[in-house]
Amino acid sequence: MKRRIGILTSGGDCPGLNAAIRGVARASYGMFDCEIVGIKDGFKGLIHYDYQVMMPIEFSGLLVRGGTILGTSRTPFKKMRKIEKDNIDKVKCMVDNYEKLNLDCLITLGGNGTHKNANLLREEGLNIIALPKTIDNDIWGTDVTFGFHSAVDIATEVIDRIHTTADSHDRVMLVELMGHKAGWIALNAGIAGGADIILIPEIPYSLDKILGSLEKRHSSGKDFSILAVSEGAITTKESLLKKKELKKQREKMKYPSVSYRLAEEINKKLGLETRVTIPGHQQRGGSPSPYDRVLATKLGAYAAEMIANRDYGKTVSIVNNKLWATPLEEVAGKLKLVDKNNILISTGKLVGTSFGD
Ligand code: F6P
């Protein structure tokens, strides 16, 4: 009997989503008789019955294509069970529409929020298989997520380009990188781009330590410095605050982001000229790197094997280069942050990189 497979992409987009969609589709068509239903704009499409039955031809040419052909949106987990002004029971609508679409299973491609929503639907009795996408690389249970390597490539190129102009102008340049609460992008791009100082949320920084490192470097004859700063970087003082207090303080902060505050502090204390560069959503844009194309294809094809075996309620993971599936209830709500013993931190320290601690 023909199997009907629903597929959606949710949360922030990233390079590799289309390659993963293609992986799921091609491997499924090859293994069993099926029809693929593309749900538009993430869970929003499932709530509002917005979908399109896909033709096999629509999965061609996707390996290199950035973004997501299905569209995406953010549907926060904490609001899922809330009835808002539109009076819609979102969870009920999703369950009903899954039935109405006669789906055998639903494949959800997304990050942490998506995994929480996917687990909620699993609890509601739906057959779910999740795929780990995010540039942040912070999904628990997998060594790497697709989108991450492409973002690191882009971030590294930014740091490389900043190097030459920082050198010409004798400036301290801060490059602020995405990653939400995780420092994976700044850590990897910072090491790859030879940043002098890397600041990540997992290692709260002391301004004095940063000033000390800059003074030491500049007095040794180096006239410029590069800082790779995670958007979520925090000071040691801020690290003592409760989540809500920190959020409040940040909302009141007169700077657009943490890098601007730090740039002003460095300029005021050391008299060095500072500049801030924020590549922002460029880190999520464009064609996936070859690494991400390969990873997304592997994970997508593995998801198809799971569909073939009716192995539901799990997210596809890669651990020690082996494909795996982790139960959704284990993944949902947990973050994979940079461990203080991560080899890149000790390596960075060995080659003279400061982490502001
Ligand atoms: O989760 C991916 C991510 O790009 C984070 O690194 C960043 O904090 C956030 O999404 C930005 O979200 P938005 O696209 O909604 O501005």
Side-chain angles (χ1 to χ4, degrees):
M1 218 175 66
K2 206 173 215 161
R3 317 261 299 268
R4 258 168 92 84
I5 304 163
I7 185 160
L8 63 80
T9 54
S10 172
D13 70 342
C14 76
L17 274 169
N18 288 327
I21 293 170
R22 171 185 175 272
V24 176
R26 289 212 173 191
S28 297
Y29 288 136
M31 275 188 284
F32 43 85
D33 190 17
C34 64
E35 186 162 62
I36 299 184
V37 180
I39 316 280
K40 303 243 185 89
D41 299 333
F43 293 102
K44 211 163 108 186
L46 191 58
I47 296 167
H48 297 286
Y49 204 56
D50 192 3
Y51 69 95
Q52 184 190 332
V53 175
M54 312 281 292
M55 294 295 126
I57 186 75
E58 290 175 273
F59 298 102
S60 285
L62 295 186
L63 258 184
V64 300
R65 196 157 146 192
T68 158
I69 54 163
L70 298 174
T72 187
S73 63
R74 291 198 188 276
T75 38
F77 172 71
K78 58 180 178 210
K79 288 193 180 160
M80 272 300 180
R81 291 205 186 269
K82 266 195 191 151
I83 309 288
E84 297 180 84
K85 276 186 197 144
D86 56 11
N87 222 14
I88 288 176
D89 183 336
K90 297 185 265 299
V91 177
K92 184 173 183 316
C93 283
M94 288 193 285
V95 174
D96 288 352
N97 289 335
Y98 175 95
E99 298 297 337
K100 212 161 127 189
L101 285 167
N102 202 18
L103 297 179
D104 287 287
C105 63
L106 175 67
I107 316 300
T108 62
L109 284 69
N112 279 298
T114 305
H115 277 76
K116 286 196 254 181
N117 288 340
N119 189 44
L120 179 155
L121 292 179
R122 178 196 64 81
E123 285 167 351
E124 291 291 321
L126 271 51
N127 295 328
I128 306 285
I129 296 172
L131 281 162
K133 79 80 230 196
T134 168
I135 62 163
D136 302 340
N137 193 35
D138 59 353
I139 296 181
W140 194 87
T142 185
D143 288 348
V144 65
T145 58
F146 58 87
F148 169 63
H149 273 261
S150 304
V152 169
D153 287 355
I154 296 161
T156 303
E157 191 183 338
V158 174
I159 297 176
D160 288 349
R161 287 178 185 275
I162 289 298
H163 246 108
T164 56
T165 173
D167 190 5
S168 311
H169 286 268
D170 296 347
R171 283 173 172 160
V172 175
M173 305 281 283
L174 293 86
V175 181
E176 185 175 300
L177 300 167
M178 278 188 169
H180 198 42
K181 290 178 187 157
W184 294 107
I185 300 179
L187 179 60
N188 282 268
I191 296 288
D196 307 296
I197 299 174
I198 299 175
L199 303 179
I200 59 173
E202 295 88 342
I203 306 180
Y205 70 84
S206 133
L207 177 62
D208 288 340
K209 288 275 160 63
I210 293 176
L211 297 176
S213 313
L214 287 172
E215 270 180 323
K216 196 170 153 206
R217 182 173 153 85
H218 287 242
S219 63
S220 76
K222 306 253 172 69
D223 294 326
F224 74 94
S225 293
I226 310 269
L227 283 83
V229 184
S230 285
E231 61 181 354
I234 51 170
T235 63
T236 40
K237 246 189 186 170
E238 286 172 329
S239 73
L240 303 173
L241 296 174
K242 292 216 170 82
K243 220 169 114 184
K244 271 193 181 159
E245 286 171 52
L246 177 63
K247 204 175 159 208
K248 252 194 199 167
Q249 277 207 6
R250 282 286 165 96
E251 275 161 9
K252 279 195 258 161
M253 187 168 79
K254 66 172 179 157
Y255 306 92
S257 72
V258 63
S259 301
Y260 282 94
R261 180 179 72 188
L262 184 56
E264 190 174 297
E265 287 166 338
I266 293 170
N267 174 259
K268 274 199 180 142
K269 298 267 183 191
L270 300 181
L272 297 168
E273 203 179 353
T274 56
R275 290 288 187 275
V276 175
T277 296
I278 305 186
H281 291 80
Q282 289 182 69
Q283 292 160 95
R284 296 215 318 242
S287 187
S289 67
Y291 180 95
D292 272 334
R293 293 178 203 182
V294 172
L295 178 65
T297 304
K298 282 202 286 199
L299 297 178
Y302 193 80
E305 287 189 314
M306 288 168 67
I307 303 171
N309 297 327
R310 294 183 167 76
D311 186 8
Y312 302 130
K314 295 175 183 169
T315 187
V316 185
S317 321
I318 185 158
V319 178
N320 294 333
N321 218 19
K322 282 210 172 74
L323 292 167
W324 193 258
T326 318
L328 268 173
E329 70 256 46
E330 281 180 30
V331 178
K334 275 189 223 157
L335 282 182
K336 183 191 71 184
L337 298 175
V338 177
D339 188 278
K340 290 196 175 82
N341 299 319
N342 187 293
I343 187 142
L344 276 189
I345 295 171
S346 45
T347 304
K349 287 190 174 174
L350 282 173
V351 297
T353 314
S354 162
F355 288 86
D357 60 340

